[in-house]
Amino acid sequence: MAGRGKHRRPRTNPLTRGIIAAGTGGAALTLPLLGATHASAAEPQNAPAAAQSVQRAAQPAKSLTYTVVKGDSLARIAATYDVSGGWKQLYKDNRAAVGDNPKLIHPGLKLTVKATKTDAAKKTATKSSAPAKPAAKPAGGVAKATQASAKTYANNLDGWIRESLDIMAQKGIPGSYDGIHRNIMRESSGNPQAINNWDSNAAAGTPSKGLLQVIDPTFAAYHVAGTPFDPYDPVANITAACNYAADRYGSIDNVNGPY
């Protein structure tokens, strides 16, 4: 929100700052500790047996999709799945999804993990692919109504907007898909990790962040319960910004420029 972004600072809220990381407010990326090992030279007559042992021990990497949860870091994920090359390789394999800062991974982000710990990979695959239990049937063979499963959303701009709209509907916050999408494309071009480090807000120490470029004091004041307290979280950012726009302009639909 170049130029006029300062108008989003609520008059009644204190300045807050923070480095945001994967739903934990300030968790620093930890690096896995690598220990060096030294193998002693084998006797010539034992070389074939040693080679066979190494071959049996080697585990090929298996590619799997991992969904980031609150508290995650690339280092922790790399250590859990014994990624060859550690968190640096994991970041390299997923840079397009993560962005320029490996410390900023948000819950819901999908990562491609080349795992060598087959047990961990197997557990993840089993958990995600377990078949749903069929609905119970009463006497007479008519299916009994059961509680609807939780609604799922795509992990992309369309899914983030739709999830935000459902939350807004529950909280009585006005706004439409078109109004949100139009403002997102102007403010961040759809990049949830976008940050403005050059305007008046940045000069004051509160740069605008996320899809709808919200400064920390505004996010803190208009954060909607039930969403992560993280301005880089797409759904939390959209919902807080729409809550602010509703208070200031009546609806995000009424916003057509810097706000």
Side-chain angles (χ1 to χ4, degrees):
M1 299 180 179
R4 297 176 55 195
K6 61 186 179 180
H7 296 299
R8 290 168 298 165
R9 187 194 307 276
R11 295 185 294 274
T12 59
N13 288 277
L15 178 70
T16 58
R17 302 186 186 181
I19 299 174
I20 310 302
T24 60
L29 182 68
T30 57
L31 306 185
L33 181 61
L34 303 179
T37 59
H38 299 276
S40 59
E43 293 296 329
Q45 62 270 25
N46 293 331
Q52 292 176 5
S53 177
V54 171
Q55 185 176 8
R56 285 195 301 270
Q59 294 290 341
K62 292 187 177 182
S63 182
L64 61 92
T65 299
Y66 178 84
T67 303
V68 174
V69 298
K70 185 176 180 180
D72 268 342
S73 69
L74 294 182
R76 192 193 71 79
I77 298 169
T80 299
Y81 291 96
D82 197 19
V83 175
S84 178
W87 74 269
K88 292 183 179 180
Q89 184 61 46
L90 180 60
Y91 175 50
K92 182 179 179 181
D93 293 339
N94 294 275
R95 181 157 187 165
V98 175
D100 293 334
N101 191 340
K103 294 181 181 180
L104 298 178
I105 57 172
H106 58 79
L109 182 66
K110 304 290 186 182
L111 300 177
T112 298
V113 180
K114 296 177 181 176
T116 58
K117 280 189 177 179
T118 55
D119 288 344
K122 189 174 181 180
K123 288 178 181 178
T124 300
T126 301
K127 184 177 181 181
S128 62
S129 61
K133 293 181 179 180
K137 292 183 179 181
V142 180
K144 182 179 180 180
T146 58
Q147 184 176 3
S149 59
K151 187 174 181 179
T152 59
Y153 305 88
N155 186 33
N156 55 28
L157 183 57
D158 177 75
W160 301 330
I161 293 176
R162 294 188 186 281
E163 184 174 355
S164 296
L165 284 170
D166 285 347
I167 295 172
M168 289 163 59
Q170 296 173 11
K171 303 293 184 178
I173 302 171
S176 69
Y177 185 101
D178 289 342
I180 295 172
H181 187 274
R182 169 170 46 81
N183 281 284
I184 285 176
M185 297 312 293
R186 184 191 65 252
E187 294 292 335
S188 68
S189 299
N191 178 11
Q193 301 299 317
I195 183 169
N196 185 323
N197 285 315
W198 57 267
D199 69 0
S200 59
N201 288 316
T206 56
S208 304
K209 302 173 180 177
L211 289 174
L212 281 168
Q213 292 291 276
V214 182
I215 60 176
D216 284 345
T218 299
F219 180 82
Y222 291 94
H223 170 257
V224 176
T227 64
F229 198 85
D230 176 1
Y232 288 107
D233 180 87
V235 174
N237 186 282
I238 293 172
T239 312
C242 289
N243 193 23
Y244 164 76
D247 184 45
R248 186 73 180 272
Y249 304 100
S251 171
I252 191 69
D253 294 343
N254 298 330
V255 178
N256 296 290
Y259 65 109

